[in-house]
PDB file of all heavy atoms in Angstrom:
ATOM      1  N   PHE A  21      -9.126 -32.061 -19.892  1.00 97.00           N
ATOM      2  CA  PHE A  21      -9.915 -30.912 -19.446  1.00 97.00           C
ATOM      3  C   PHE A  21      -9.046 -29.668 -19.288  1.00 97.00           C
ATOM      4  O   PHE A  21      -9.442 -28.569 -19.677  1.00 97.00           O
ATOM      5  CB  PHE A  21     -10.626 -31.207 -18.124  1.00 97.00           C
ATOM      6  CG  PHE A  21     -11.787 -32.152 -18.247  1.00 97.00           C
ATOM      7  CD1 PHE A  21     -11.948 -33.184 -17.345  1.00 97.00           C
ATOM      8  CD2 PHE A  21     -12.730 -32.013 -19.258  1.00 97.00           C
ATOM      9  CE1 PHE A  21     -13.020 -34.055 -17.443  1.00 97.00           C
ATOM     10  CE2 PHE A  21     -13.806 -32.879 -19.372  1.00 97.00           C
ATOM     11  CZ  PHE A  21     -13.951 -33.914 -18.458  1.00 97.00           C
ATOM     12  N   LEU A  22      -7.853 -29.839 -18.726  1.00 97.00           N
ATOM     13  CA  LEU A  22      -6.949 -28.694 -18.553  1.00 97.00           C
ATOM     14  C   LEU A  22      -6.523 -28.116 -19.902  1.00 97.00           C
ATOM     15  O   LEU A  22      -6.424 -26.897 -20.059  1.00 97.00           O
ATOM     16  CB  LEU A  22      -5.721 -29.094 -17.727  1.00 97.00           C
ATOM     17  CG  LEU A  22      -5.971 -29.386 -16.247  1.00 97.00           C
ATOM     18  CD1 LEU A  22      -4.688 -29.892 -15.589  1.00 97.00           C
ATOM     19  CD2 LEU A  22      -6.488 -28.153 -15.537  1.00 97.00           C
ATOM     20  N   SER A  23      -6.299 -29.000 -20.861  1.00 97.00           N
ATOM     21  CA  SER A  23      -5.933 -28.553 -22.205  1.00 97.00           C
ATOM     22  C   SER A  23      -7.078 -27.759 -22.834  1.00 97.00           C
ATOM     23  O   SER A  23      -6.866 -26.695 -23.431  1.00 97.00           O
ATOM     24  CB  SER A  23      -5.585 -29.760 -23.065  1.00 97.00           C
ATOM     25  OG  SER A  23      -5.395 -29.385 -24.407  1.00 97.00           O
ATOM     26  N   LYS A  24      -8.299 -28.270 -22.687  1.00 97.00           N
ATOM     27  CA  LYS A  24      -9.462 -27.568 -23.232  1.00 97.00           C
ATOM     28  C   LYS A  24      -9.678 -26.237 -22.519  1.00 97.00           C
ATOM     29  O   LYS A  24     -10.029 -25.237 -23.161  1.00 97.00           O
ATOM     30  CB  LYS A  24     -10.713 -28.450 -23.112  1.00 97.00           C
ATOM     31  CG  LYS A  24     -10.713 -29.625 -24.058  1.00 97.00           C
ATOM     32  CD  LYS A  24     -11.936 -30.486 -23.872  1.00 97.00           C
ATOM     33  CE  LYS A  24     -11.900 -31.695 -24.796  1.00 97.00           C
ATOM     34  NZ  LYS A  24     -13.053 -32.581 -24.590  1.00 97.00           N
ATOM     35  N   ALA A  25      -9.480 -26.213 -21.207  1.00 97.00           N
ATOM     36  CA  ALA A  25      -9.637 -24.969 -20.447  1.00 97.00           C
ATOM     37  C   ALA A  25      -8.617 -23.934 -20.907  1.00 97.00           C
ATOM     38  O   ALA A  25      -8.932 -22.746 -21.035  1.00 97.00           O
ATOM     39  CB  ALA A  25      -9.498 -25.236 -18.956  1.00 97.00           C
ATOM     40  N   LYS A  26      -7.403 -24.364 -21.167  1.00 97.00           N
ATOM     41  CA  LYS A  26      -6.352 -23.454 -21.634  1.00 97.00           C
ATOM     42  C   LYS A  26      -6.741 -22.865 -22.987  1.00 97.00           C
ATOM     43  O   LYS A  26      -6.575 -21.662 -23.231  1.00 97.00           O
ATOM     44  CB  LYS A  26      -5.022 -24.200 -21.734  1.00 97.00           C
ATOM     45  CG  LYS A  26      -3.889 -23.400 -22.304  1.00 97.00           C
ATOM     46  CD  LYS A  26      -3.435 -22.315 -21.372  1.00 97.00           C
ATOM     47  CE  LYS A  26      -2.204 -21.645 -21.953  1.00 97.00           C
ATOM     48  NZ  LYS A  26      -2.116 -20.255 -21.623  1.00 97.00           N
ATOM     49  N   LYS A  27      -7.293 -23.697 -23.862  1.00 97.00           N
ATOM     50  CA  LYS A  27      -7.722 -23.217 -25.180  1.00 97.00           C
ATOM     51  C   LYS A  27      -8.836 -22.183 -25.036  1.00 97.00           C
ATOM     52  O   LYS A  27      -8.854 -21.175 -25.734  1.00 97.00           O
ATOM     53  CB  LYS A  27      -8.184 -24.381 -26.056  1.00 97.00           C
ATOM     54  CG  LYS A  27      -7.058 -25.256 -26.539  1.00 97.00           C
ATOM     55  CD  LYS A  27      -7.575 -26.419 -27.361  1.00 97.00           C
ATOM     56  CE  LYS A  27      -6.456 -27.366 -27.764  1.00 97.00           C
ATOM     57  NZ  LYS A  27      -6.956 -28.539 -28.479  1.00 97.00           N
ATOM     58  N   GLU A  28      -9.783 -22.434 -24.121  1.00 97.00           N
ATOM     59  CA  GLU A  28     -10.880 -21.481 -23.891  1.00 97.00           C
ATOM     60  C   GLU A  28     -10.354 -20.167 -23.321  1.00 97.00           C
ATOM     61  O   GLU A  28     -10.833 -19.095 -23.687  1.00 97.00           O
ATOM     62  CB  GLU A  28     -11.935 -22.086 -22.966  1.00 97.00           C
ATOM     63  CG  GLU A  28     -12.756 -23.187 -23.613  1.00 97.00           C
ATOM     64  CD  GLU A  28     -13.519 -22.728 -24.843  1.00 97.00           C
ATOM     65  OE1 GLU A  28     -14.119 -21.628 -24.816  1.00 97.00           O
ATOM     66  OE2 GLU A  28     -13.505 -23.446 -25.854  1.00 97.00           O
ATOM     67  N   GLU A  29      -9.381 -20.238 -22.420  1.00 97.00           N
ATOM     68  CA  GLU A  29      -8.775 -19.017 -21.884  1.00 97.00           C
ATOM     69  C   GLU A  29      -8.117 -18.206 -22.998  1.00 97.00           C
ATOM     70  O   GLU A  29      -8.234 -16.983 -23.035  1.00 97.00           O
ATOM     71  CB  GLU A  29      -7.749 -19.359 -20.808  1.00 97.00           C
ATOM     72  CG  GLU A  29      -8.358 -19.783 -19.497  1.00 97.00           C
ATOM     73  CD  GLU A  29      -7.298 -20.145 -18.458  1.00 97.00           C
ATOM     74  OE1 GLU A  29      -6.098 -19.900 -18.698  1.00 97.00           O
ATOM     75  OE2 GLU A  29      -7.685 -20.676 -17.412  1.00 97.00           O
ATOM     76  N   ASP A  30      -7.436 -18.897 -23.890  1.00 97.00           N
ATOM     77  CA  ASP A  30      -6.800 -18.216 -25.019  1.00 97.00           C
ATOM     78  C   ASP A  30      -7.844 -17.555 -25.916  1.00 97.00           C
ATOM     79  O   ASP A  30      -7.650 -16.433 -26.388  1.00 97.00           O
ATOM     80  CB  ASP A  30      -5.946 -19.197 -25.831  1.00 97.00           C
ATOM     81  CG  ASP A  30      -4.713 -19.670 -25.079  1.00 97.00           C
ATOM     82  OD1 ASP A  30      -4.335 -19.014 -24.080  1.00 97.00           O
ATOM     83  OD2 ASP A  30      -4.132 -20.705 -25.481  1.00 97.00           O
ATOM     84  N   LYS A  31      -8.973 -18.252 -26.139  1.00 97.00           N
ATOM     85  CA  LYS A  31     -10.051 -17.674 -26.948  1.00 97.00           C
ATOM     86  C   LYS A  31     -10.615 -16.423 -26.281  1.00 97.00           C
ATOM     87  O   LYS A  31     -10.879 -15.420 -26.940  1.00 97.00           O
ATOM     88  CB  LYS A  31     -11.181 -18.685 -27.149  1.00 97.00           C
ATOM     89  CG  LYS A  31     -10.894 -19.767 -28.144  1.00 97.00           C
ATOM     90  CD  LYS A  31     -12.100 -20.696 -28.281  1.00 97.00           C
ATOM     91  CE  LYS A  31     -11.818 -21.879 -29.156  1.00 97.00           C
ATOM     92  NZ  LYS A  31     -12.983 -22.793 -29.238  1.00 97.00           N
ATOM     93  N   LEU A  32     -10.808 -16.488 -24.953  1.00 97.00           N
ATOM     94  CA  LEU A  32     -11.326 -15.333 -24.221  1.00 97.00           C
ATOM     95  C   LEU A  32     -10.387 -14.140 -24.330  1.00 97.00           C
ATOM     96  O   LEU A  32     -10.821 -13.010 -24.557  1.00 97.00           O
ATOM     97  CB  LEU A  32     -11.541 -15.687 -22.746  1.00 97.00           C
ATOM     98  CG  LEU A  32     -12.804 -16.459 -22.415  1.00 97.00           C
ATOM     99  CD1 LEU A  32     -12.803 -16.871 -20.948  1.00 97.00           C
ATOM    100  CD2 LEU A  32     -14.026 -15.630 -22.712  1.00 97.00           C
ATOM    101  N   LYS A  33      -9.097 -14.379 -24.170  1.00 97.00           N
ATOM    102  CA  LYS A  33      -8.121 -13.290 -24.284  1.00 97.00           C
ATOM    103  C   LYS A  33      -8.145 -12.685 -25.678  1.00 97.00           C
ATOM    104  O   LYS A  33      -8.086 -11.466 -25.836  1.00 97.00           O
ATOM    105  CB  LYS A  33      -6.715 -13.794 -23.954  1.00 97.00           C
ATOM    106  CG  LYS A  33      -6.495 -14.039 -22.485  1.00 97.00           C
ATOM    107  CD  LYS A  33      -5.087 -14.526 -22.211  1.00 97.00           C
ATOM    108  CE  LYS A  33      -4.901 -14.842 -20.744  1.00 97.00           C
ATOM    109  NZ  LYS A  33      -3.553 -15.355 -20.461  1.00 97.00           N
ATOM    110  N   GLU A  34      -8.246 -13.530 -26.692  1.00 97.00           N
ATOM    111  CA  GLU A  34      -8.300 -13.046 -28.070  1.00 97.00           C
ATOM    112  C   GLU A  34      -9.556 -12.216 -28.306  1.00 97.00           C
ATOM    113  O   GLU A  34      -9.505 -11.152 -28.929  1.00 97.00           O
ATOM    114  CB  GLU A  34      -8.251 -14.227 -29.048  1.00 97.00           C
ATOM    115  CG  GLU A  34      -8.317 -13.830 -30.501  1.00 97.00           C
ATOM    116  CD  GLU A  34      -7.129 -13.013 -30.981  1.00 97.00           C
ATOM    117  OE1 GLU A  34      -6.028 -13.161 -30.409  1.00 97.00           O
ATOM    118  OE2 GLU A  34      -7.308 -12.199 -31.906  1.00 97.00           O
ATOM    119  N   LEU A  35     -10.698 -12.682 -27.785  1.00 97.00           N
ATOM    120  CA  LEU A  35     -11.943 -11.929 -27.942  1.00 97.00           C
ATOM    121  C   LEU A  35     -11.884 -10.587 -27.207  1.00 97.00           C
ATOM    122  O   LEU A  35     -12.362  -9.575 -27.718  1.00 97.00           O
ATOM    123  CB  LEU A  35     -13.132 -12.751 -27.439  1.00 97.00           C
ATOM    124  CG  LEU A  35     -13.548 -13.907 -28.343  1.00 97.00           C
ATOM    125  CD1 LEU A  35     -14.582 -14.776 -27.642  1.00 97.00           C
ATOM    126  CD2 LEU A  35     -14.097 -13.378 -29.660  1.00 97.00           C
ATOM    127  N   GLU A  36     -11.301 -10.574 -26.015  1.00 97.00           N
ATOM    128  CA  GLU A  36     -11.157  -9.320 -25.278  1.00 97.00           C
ATOM    129  C   GLU A  36     -10.298  -8.331 -26.065  1.00 97.00           C
ATOM    130  O   GLU A  36     -10.617  -7.139 -26.137  1.00 97.00           O
ATOM    131  CB  GLU A  36     -10.561  -9.581 -23.900  1.00 97.00           C
ATOM    132  CG  GLU A  36     -11.523 -10.275 -22.958  1.00 97.00           C
ATOM    133  CD  GLU A  36     -10.867 -10.778 -21.679  1.00 97.00           C
ATOM    134  OE1 GLU A  36      -9.627 -10.676 -21.543  1.00 97.00           O
ATOM    135  OE2 GLU A  36     -11.609 -11.289 -20.813  1.00 97.00           O
ATOM    136  N   THR A  37      -9.240  -8.826 -26.670  1.00 97.00           N
ATOM    137  CA  THR A  37      -8.385  -7.973 -27.499  1.00 97.00           C
ATOM    138  C   THR A  37      -9.153  -7.447 -28.701  1.00 97.00           C
ATOM    139  O   THR A  37      -9.069  -6.263 -29.039  1.00 97.00           O
ATOM    140  CB  THR A  37      -7.140  -8.760 -27.973  1.00 97.00           C
ATOM    141  OG1 THR A  37      -6.426  -9.221 -26.821  1.00 97.00           O
ATOM    142  CG2 THR A  37      -6.236  -7.906 -28.840  1.00 97.00           C
ATOM    143  N   GLN A  38      -9.935  -8.308 -29.349  1.00 97.00           N
ATOM    144  CA  GLN A  38     -10.722  -7.890 -30.504  1.00 97.00           C
ATOM    145  C   GLN A  38     -11.773  -6.854 -30.116  1.00 97.00           C
ATOM    146  O   GLN A  38     -12.040  -5.924 -30.879  1.00 97.00           O
ATOM    147  CB  GLN A  38     -11.384  -9.096 -31.162  1.00 97.00           C
ATOM    148  CG  GLN A  38     -10.399  -9.999 -31.884  1.00 97.00           C
ATOM    149  CD  GLN A  38     -11.064 -11.221 -32.487  1.00 97.00           C
ATOM    150  OE1 GLN A  38     -12.271 -11.383 -32.431  1.00 97.00           O
ATOM    151  NE2 GLN A  38     -10.250 -12.098 -33.063  1.00 97.00           N
TER     152      GLN A  38
END
Side-chain angles (χ1 to χ4, degrees):
F21 287 135
L22 290 175
S23 172
K24 289 178 182 177
K26 175 70 174 148
K27 288 178 184 176
E28 289 300 317
E29 285 179 9
D30 291 343
K31 284 181 186 178
L32 281 174
K33 286 180 183 178
E34 179 65 27
L35 287 171
E36 289 169 355
T37 301
Q38 289 178 3

